[in-house]
Structures are given as C-alpha cells and as structure tokens.
Amino acid sequence: MRSSRRHPLLVPVLLCALAVLAARPGDDDTHTAAGAGAEVARLYLDAAVAAQRYEAGRQAADAQRVRAQRVEGQLERERREIARLHEDLGRIARAQYRSGGGVPMAARIILADSPEDLMRDQHVFSQADLAVGNAIGRSHRAEVRLAGDEAKAASAWRTLEKRNAELADLKQDIQRRLEEARGQLQGQADASVAAGSCRGAVRLDQPPNRVTGPWVAPVETAELSAGFGSGGSRWANRHTGQDFAVPIGTPVRAAGAGRVVRVSCGGAFGIEIVIEHPGGYCTQYAHLAAVTVDQGDRVTTGQWIAQSGTTGNSTGPHLHFEVRVTPDMGSAVDPLPWLAQRGVSVG
C-alpha cells in the first residue's frame, strides 16, 4: 500500500510554470523516478530562466553596440576637432614668427617709430598670445574629453562582454545538467519498458490552469514531425497519429477533460496513456518517459499527465499523439483536423 502523504517541492513559476515532483515515500523505485523527473522539471525552469537572461544580455549587447557606434562617431568628431586645434596652434605660431612675435620687448621699443606704433604692436601681440592660450586650452580640454570618452566606451564593452560570457557559461552548465537528467529519466523509462511494468504515477505539482477552451494541443510548443498517414519502415501499415518533436521530459498535457482508461508500458508505443473524453473520442499519448496519472484518474483540459521521452519504437525524442474513436488501436482519425474543428490550431 502506498502512503498518500506527499512532500511537494515548490519552485517559482515561469511561463509554463514548470514544477517539481511530489515524491511518495515507501516505494524506492517510484521515489527514484520521481527524483529524476523532478530534476528534469527543475532544470527546465532553470534553463528557461537562463535562456531569458541570456536573451536579455544579447539584446543589451545589441543596444550597447548601437551606443558604441554613436560614441565612436562622437570620438571621431572630437579627434577631428583636436586636429583642427593643432592646426590653429601651428598657424598662430607661424604668424607670430613672421610678424616678429619672437622679438624681445626691448628691441621692439628701440625699433618702434612712435609710442603709438609700440602700443599697437603690443596689442596685436597680446591678442596673438591670448589666441594661442585659448587654442591650447581648447585643445587640452578636447584631449581630456576624448580620453574620458574612450575610457568609458572601453569599460562599457568590457563589462558587457564579461556579463555575456558569464550568462553563456550559466546557460551551458544548465543545459549540460539538463541533458544528464534527461538521460537518467529516459534510462529509468527504458528499464520500465523492458520489464513491461510501469512504475506508477509520479505526481507533478500542476501550474495554474490558464486554459480557456475545452481543448488544447498536447504540448505547448513543438515542431511537427511525422504526420497522420505517413509511410515508413517503422510502422506496420501507416502512421496512425501526429508526432511532436520535443525534448525528453517536456510536460505533456491532456488535450481535453476525461478519464484515464489505460496506462501501459512495453510494446511499440513504449510508455503510453489513453484518455476517454465525453462524447466517445479517446486520445493517446505515447513514447513517454514518465506518467503523472494513474489508470482511472479524472483529468482536466491542459493538465500535465506525463513527460515526453523516446520509449518503444522510437528513433528520437518526441510525443506520438492519436485521436481514436475507441480506446484501441485501429480506430485512429487524423488529429490535426480533429483539433482544428475544436478550435485548436497546431503547427
């Protein structure tokens, strides 16, 4: 008899509110499977946060690049201004030399034709000295400003590059740990399939249900792969469902409200769930890595019922989804038009 006591481990909610498992003590195998599923779910959350932060860092880098281009334009204008000031200094110096700016004051007094000429010459040279002083001051201030702007630009780039490198390392580390956890979860699933015995449900804390309609797609985001009716060597006849290419451990949702009529392990579908919905239709979810419901459970639209995997006759991680007229094989209909008729657009 399993204990009904659970110990949920709560984590923050982000986007699809990935949550951790509530492991049930007393069953070592189930507890181990729950731990693997919990680690995958937690790392999905961490990976989503890291990806969001990395994307924000990338956008900041793009914005900084635009600012840097503007600053570089300003720096270039400042360099041209300094070059112009240097030219002015050279021109003033040459003019002073040609006009006798280097003649000592005593010689000017001796050579002056009259006191008025002396005063006039003195005024001219005073103005020239003032111009030189002003030019030197402007040049110095421009050089100081240029040096400061260059230092600020270089510092901003160093800070941004360091931050982006840290975010990239964080993202890579989380992805590495997520791959390891996925491998562990899939290994446990493969062992269940080989034994032909399901470990039982490992419960996930459910996110807030934001579903507004009676039907949803079985995974929140995915790339469509093999479609209904496809031919290939992997199937005895033709493909009976729609495949969604998703990584191992992706939360799988109940497409609609209903009752779980089958949870099984082994065979071509690996770990699978079949749900019977009011009105007679059934939906099947196959090649799973873990289930979060037991046979006989009632589920609501959008409820997490499993984590995707690659068990059974599968060449890679994906969810195989079917819509059936009965719970059994051989009664499948094309799921995409069926969902579209119920207001669910996929792909």
Side-chain angles (χ1 to χ4, degrees):
M1 177 69 71
R2 290 177 182 163
S3 170
S4 61
R5 184 165 56 90
R6 299 176 184 165
H7 303 279
L9 175 62
L10 300 179
V11 296
V13 176
L14 173 69
L15 302 178
C16 60
L18 292 169
V20 295
L21 285 123
R24 293 174 294 183
D27 184 338
D28 290 341
D29 289 342
T30 300
H31 181 77
T32 302
E39 181 71 359
V40 171
R42 183 183 66 79
L43 287 170
Y44 263 116
L45 175 65
D46 291 346
V49 173
Q52 190 177 57
R53 289 178 61 191
Y54 182 79
E55 179 62 20
R58 188 191 62 77
Q59 292 175 358
D62 291 342
Q64 178 61 29
R65 187 173 295 107
V66 172
R67 288 194 296 270
Q69 290 170 348
R70 288 199 299 264
V71 169
E72 184 57 36
Q74 177 63 30
L75 293 177
E76 183 58 33
R77 289 190 293 272
E78 291 176 2
R79 293 185 188 105
R80 289 197 299 268
E81 176 65 14
I82 290 172
R84 188 186 64 79
L85 290 172
H86 287 171
E87 289 177 2
D88 288 346
L89 284 172
R91 187 172 57 253
I92 292 170
R94 289 192 298 272
Q96 279 191 302
Y97 178 79
R98 286 194 301 267
S99 61
V103 179
M105 180 57 68
R108 293 181 197 173
I109 294 173
I110 294 170
L111 296 173
D113 294 334
S114 66
E116 290 78 9
D117 290 340
L118 177 61
M119 293 298 293
R120 186 166 49 253
D121 289 344
Q122 182 60 34
H123 176 71
V124 169
F125 287 117
S126 295
Q127 289 297 103
D129 288 341
L130 181 60
V132 170
N134 287 340
I136 291 173
R138 288 197 302 274
S139 178
H140 176 69
R141 289 192 297 273
E143 289 172 349
V144 170
R145 186 170 60 251
L146 174 62
D149 288 345
E150 287 177 332
K152 288 179 182 177
S155 176
W157 270 116
R158 285 194 299 270
T159 300
L160 188 64
E161 288 173 353
K162 179 182 178 182
R163 179 170 179 266
N164 282 352
E166 290 172 349
L167 289 173
D169 289 343
L170 174 64
K171 182 181 177 184
Q172 186 176 23
D173 179 63
I174 291 174
Q175 190 64 33
R176 176 187 57 77
R177 289 188 285 128
L178 180 56
E179 289 300 325
E180 291 176 356
R182 284 170 175 165
Q184 183 181 9
L185 181 63
Q186 183 62 42
Q188 293 169 352
D190 290 339
S192 293
V193 171
S197 174
C198 292
R199 295 175 181 269
V202 285
R203 306 293 182 174
L204 287 172
D205 290 336
Q206 295 293 319
N209 196 333
R210 297 183 177 86
V211 174
T212 57
W215 301 96
V216 296
V219 288
E220 191 162 355
T221 57
E223 177 183 348
L224 298 180
S225 50
F228 181 82
S230 300
S233 59
R234 295 191 302 275
W235 309 298
N237 295 300
R238 301 190 70 80
H239 195 226
T240 54
Q242 175 63 56
D243 288 349
F244 295 82
V246 289
I248 294 169
T250 300
V252 175
R253 309 186 297 183
R259 183 174 65 89
V260 178
V261 295
R262 181 182 303 149
V263 177
S264 63
C265 301
F269 287 121
I271 300 176
E272 65 165 328
I273 294 173
V274 177
I275 298 174
E276 186 175 42
H277 305 281
Y281 283 102
C282 297
T283 53
Q284 181 219 24
Y285 313 78
H287 305 309
L288 305 172
V291 298
T292 66
V293 292
D294 286 317
Q295 191 164 307
D297 284 354
R298 293 279 178 181
V299 297
T300 58
T301 302
Q303 178 180 332
W304 288 352
I305 58 171
Q307 288 175 289
S308 65
T310 182
T311 54
N313 183 15
S314 171
T315 59
H318 72 284
L319 170 69
H320 174 88
F321 175 70
E322 286 190 18
V323 175
R324 298 173 175 175
V325 177
T326 73
D328 302 316
M329 290 181 58
S331 63
V333 299
D334 192 340
L336 295 189
W338 188 89
L339 286 171
Q341 291 171 4
R342 288 155 179 78
V344 179
S345 177
V346 178

